Amino acid sequence: MRVVVRRARKRAERRAVPIPAPARTSARTSGRSSARTPARASGRALLACLPGLAAVAALALCASGVERTVAAGARSEARPDSPYSAPRPEIVDRASWLAGAARDQPPPRYDDQVVAVFVHHTDTPNGYDCADTPRILRDIYSGQTGGRDWDDLGYNFVVDRCGTVYEGRAGGVERAVTGAHTQGFNHRTAGVAALGTFTEGVPVPRPMTDAIAAVTAWKLGPSGTDPRGRVRLVSSNGLSRYAAGTAVALPAVAGHDDGYQTSCPGAALSAELPRVRDRAARLQGRGPAAQDGHSGRAAPADPGPLRSVPRTDRRWGP
């Protein structure tokens, strides 16, 4: 037995040559690949220091450990996807347009999910050059946080006539940020504003409505909400169309006037909402029929515990 071990040890010593460092991976390499490469290299380095038969056993243990580590990492990063998820559109981040105009404000508030989208218009001139959109957004921001004394821009997103989507309210575009866009229905919803005024007879640019549909499809995807369906929301403010605490079924893609007594988003843009809903549903990969029942389950009458407390003062929007 000693002879066998001694021979195995000599063979291991002859094989124990320096192991080169793993090659650098490019930025495009996936997290799974890069996590596995250094781990395996470390395993080989360890084996080089182990004698013969012990190395064989260690190899199996090391390989098993590496695979368990990679699998655990993949599980920790994995997120359950809705069968009707849609791709995220290109979004210009908030810092790009806000620049040095930012004011001190309280931290953002969040809800558990987004189950409806309210569409608005900003009631500003239409004949702008899209290169001027950042300046116009700063003006809107200054008006809402200054003269109106709101905590931040009310809308979660703003879309200009060229179809460019801008991040509005702070808090992160990926998250369910509580907006200040539709009094009584700011929870579990997102506000998307069309930059301009779209009263009756005013043309609504197709790139704008396509971009609104893209944002809608993406934001409603995680909750599984059909953009063509209806959802049950609970009014948090008696100044809305409905008394506080009233559960009401509203379109999953609604106009501002569905939840609040206003002419927003304008007759012309309101007339485009059916097409926005259909396009958003197609972007989610849905069939021809609206799934009202599924959408209803996604937004029950009782919203459950919210991660933010409803406010009724004007600081939190109309």
Side-chain angles (χ1 to χ4, degrees):
M1 183 62 181
R2 291 180 179 175
V3 174
V4 173
V5 172
R6 195 175 297 116
R7 288 176 180 173
R9 182 176 300 161
K10 289 180 179 179
R11 285 197 299 270
E13 290 171 352
R14 285 197 298 269
R15 287 195 300 266
V17 296
I19 298 177
R24 293 183 179 179
T25 56
S26 69
R28 296 181 180 179
T29 305
S30 70
R32 183 183 177 95
S33 304
S34 16
R36 185 179 296 179
T37 302
R40 285 183 172 172
S42 299
R44 290 196 298 267
L46 176 62
L47 293 179
C49 302
L50 293 175
L53 296 178
V56 177
L59 177 62
L61 291 173
C62 180
S64 174
V66 168
E67 294 302 326
R68 282 197 301 269
T69 301
V70 172
R75 283 195 300 271
S76 66
E77 295 175 1
R79 295 181 180 179
D81 292 326
S82 163
Y84 296 110
S85 60
R88 168 181 164 169
E90 291 291 329
I91 300 172
V92 178
D93 65 85
R94 174 185 171 92
S96 297
W97 62 263
L98 189 55
R103 297 168 178 258
D104 291 335
Q105 60 188 62
R109 302 174 302 153
Y110 300 97
D111 292 310
D112 57 339
Q113 59 181 336
V114 172
V115 299
V117 169
F118 281 94
V119 178
H120 307 253
H121 67 178
T122 58
D123 199 21
T124 53
N126 291 346
Y128 56 89
D129 189 306
C130 290
D132 290 333
T133 298
R135 176 188 57 76
I136 299 170
L137 289 178
R138 286 193 295 274
D139 290 344
I140 296 173
Y141 172 84
S142 296
Q144 292 187 353
T145 60
R148 296 188 180 185
D149 195 28
W150 294 1
D151 65 317
D152 191 4
L153 188 70
Y155 316 114
N156 299 98
F157 302 93
V158 180
V159 179
D160 71 10
R161 61 195 300 268
C162 295
T164 304
V165 181
Y166 289 82
E167 177 186 10
R169 196 170 184 82
V173 296
E174 301 279 353
R175 303 186 65 181
V177 179
T178 307
H181 50 82
T182 306
Q183 187 151 266
F185 296 101
N186 287 316
H187 292 286
R188 289 187 150 191
T189 68
V192 182
L195 191 64
T197 302
F198 298 100
T199 51
E200 187 171 0
V202 175
V204 183
R206 180 59 63 89
M208 173 178 277
T209 55
D210 286 349
I212 293 172
V215 174
T216 294
W218 171 60
K219 290 303 290 184
L220 294 182
S223 66
T225 304
D226 189 327
R228 302 161 300 183
R230 299 179 74 84
V231 296
R232 290 176 62 81
L233 299 171
V234 179
S235 174
S236 64
N237 192 322
L239 297 179
S240 74
R241 282 192 179 275
Y242 304 92
T246 302
V248 57
L250 295 176
V253 181
H256 186 183
D257 56 350
D258 284 310
Y260 186 70
Q261 296 179 4
T262 177
S263 60
C264 177
L269 185 51
S270 292
E272 291 290 325
L273 291 185
R275 197 186 72 82
V276 169
R277 296 178 186 117
D278 288 341
R279 181 170 178 79
R282 289 198 302 272
L283 289 172
Q284 288 186 347
R286 294 182 181 272
Q291 297 177 304
D292 289 314
H294 184 84
S295 297
R297 290 194 297 274
D302 178 7
L306 296 174
R307 299 180 186 177
S308 52
V309 179
R311 295 288 193 95
T312 56
D313 60 88
R314 67 192 180 102
R315 186 171 304 165
W316 301 104

